[in-house]
Amino acid sequence: MKKNFYKYISLVLVAGLSLSSCNPDLTEVNPNFTTSASYWKNLDETNQGVTALYVTLLNTTIFNVREETVRSDMGYYAATRPYANASVGDQSVKFWTQDFDGDVKAVFQKWDGCYKGIYRANQVIEALNRIQATSEPVRWKQQMAEARFFRGLFHFYLHNSYNNGNVIIVDHTPVTKDDFFASVSPSAKVIEFFRKDLQYAVDNLLPGINAEKGHVNQATAATILGTSYLNEGDDLNLAKFNFNLVIGNSNYSLERDMSKMFTTAGEFNKESIFEVIYDVAVRSDLGLFDEESTTNRLGFLSISTNNMFSPPAWVAYAYKTEKMDLLDSRNYKGGVIQPANLRGVPLRASAMVILAEDLETPVYKFANGIEAAAPNSASPSLNLGLNPIASTAGSFFGNVSLYKKYLNTDQTGYSGENSLPYGSQKSSKNVVVNRLSEVYLMQAEVLIKTGDVPGALKLINKIRERWGLVLLGPAGMGEFAGKTYDISKDFTNPTVLMNQLMFVDKPLELSAEGCSSRFSDLRRWGKLRSRFEELAATKYYVKTFTYTKSTGGTATKTNASVLNAPGTGTTEIPNEFTIPRDRYIISLGKPVTNDYLPIPNSELNRNPNILK
């Protein structure tokens, strides 16, 4: 299936769409390519251009998962505590310290990748307009809707990330000098432009899932368009309308098979709305850092000692302490409701992170994460971050958790990422960008803000019930019989429920996912500064974890279990947010704060018409 999706990948080298030479960041565009769309004579040929748009998504810097995770409250950049040397952390540390600028590679690469996608989309759009009269209408409309979706998507990503939303609108392939040296447009104009493209996609893409999985459809476009209305807050009714198009689509439902959550077997599961396909078998000849390779490095970046993104202490603690519904048999080993059989951590934690206490979930060929992290002859170099890192001062600690979403932990024939057939930096695992549960949570926020708290509670509880968690609010507010409800807070109060959504359910459901999703949320809510201050003032601790091995007997792991209070045998974890707090506050005095990425210096240097 994966190979079939990229069946045109060797053909998109024609007609000016060379995967290596097309450079629509406008810094080195070859004018000979600006009319390349004229080579396309029919829909089979324009479909090669559509495929090139999907190929653009393979560029992991468009999403910058590592950088955006550590830039928010959801990530730490290394396996050392406290703050490691900046030269060791490379560019990821600059996002964690809020010190990124226009010279940072990731800032340029995302800009470049998005404009490359826009350039390709414009080529397809112009070619389709030229051949419309001689084309089969249904296929033509599908291709045009896909092309306009991607042009809108990449403008949306740029607007959401750079220069307070004031970015360059590119609505055609560049021809004249003015085209090559366009200035930025005001945020409002950019929003107006990309919403027209996304609306066209919503109106013209099929609501069903394409027979060739991986193609965008109406639900994909409605998710992005609805997100735009939620982000801007200018029309919550339109946000609600678009989210309802997705929620009401019978092709999607919350995935309840836990073996299909963030696993290879679960690619394109029932709740996957937008997913990027990777497959090492398609172009195994491409190098590690070729951004159009059909493999990704996100598994490696999930475990790399000095260039990683891992859950900070608060995230690890929050995952393992979510309240399990003791009336739900899924929360017991063997499915038998008996206190002695209770799982070590909730199902949501098991699906998304590796924790010492999770002795029930296999990790690679090991029975669980703690055994995978233990030194052993079969995998002497495996670093799952659960070991303390040696220090003469005794003040450095390894990670107390790791994100699983991009790891291949479900591949039971291997001892870790390093033992995969093509190595740790060439993962074939797909990347899920948008899921149905995200739409539920965005719609819940809309409902809270428009006065429908019962409706919001219902959506949040649907997700929590899927994970076997205690539901929120009085039982009468729910739709699930025989479940436990949390009445310790008044979740019918919109402020209480909104706090629950902002700081518990949304971050734990969508950790390290999407395209700058968490940072954008905190910025939109006006919570960036207060969140960094809150976490910088909160202490967490580690202690030795003693466990029963799967082969019998007990073992211990030093500094493996995270706590939120001191106790016998505990050691305080050096705070992960004091530096982000201090640097973020300092940045508020700058003309342009680091709430947005700056326009890359390479663009400023080559384009005299750029005005911030």
Side-chain angles (χ1 to χ4, degrees), residues 459-480:
L459 289 173
I460 295 171
N461 279 338
K462 281 178 180 289
I463 298 170
R464 294 181 65 85
E465 192 278 334
R466 178 259 295 274
W467 295 117
L469 297 170
V470 168
L471 307 186
L472 306 178
M477 299 291 287
E479 59 182 281
F480 301 103

Side-chain angles (χ1 to χ4, degrees), residues 149 215-225 246 252 273-274 434:
F149 166 80
H215 282 265
V216 297
N217 60 13
Q218 183 189 67
T220 321
T223 296
I224 305 302
L225 184 57
V246 183
Y252 297 96
I273 293 172
F274 190 23
N434 299 103

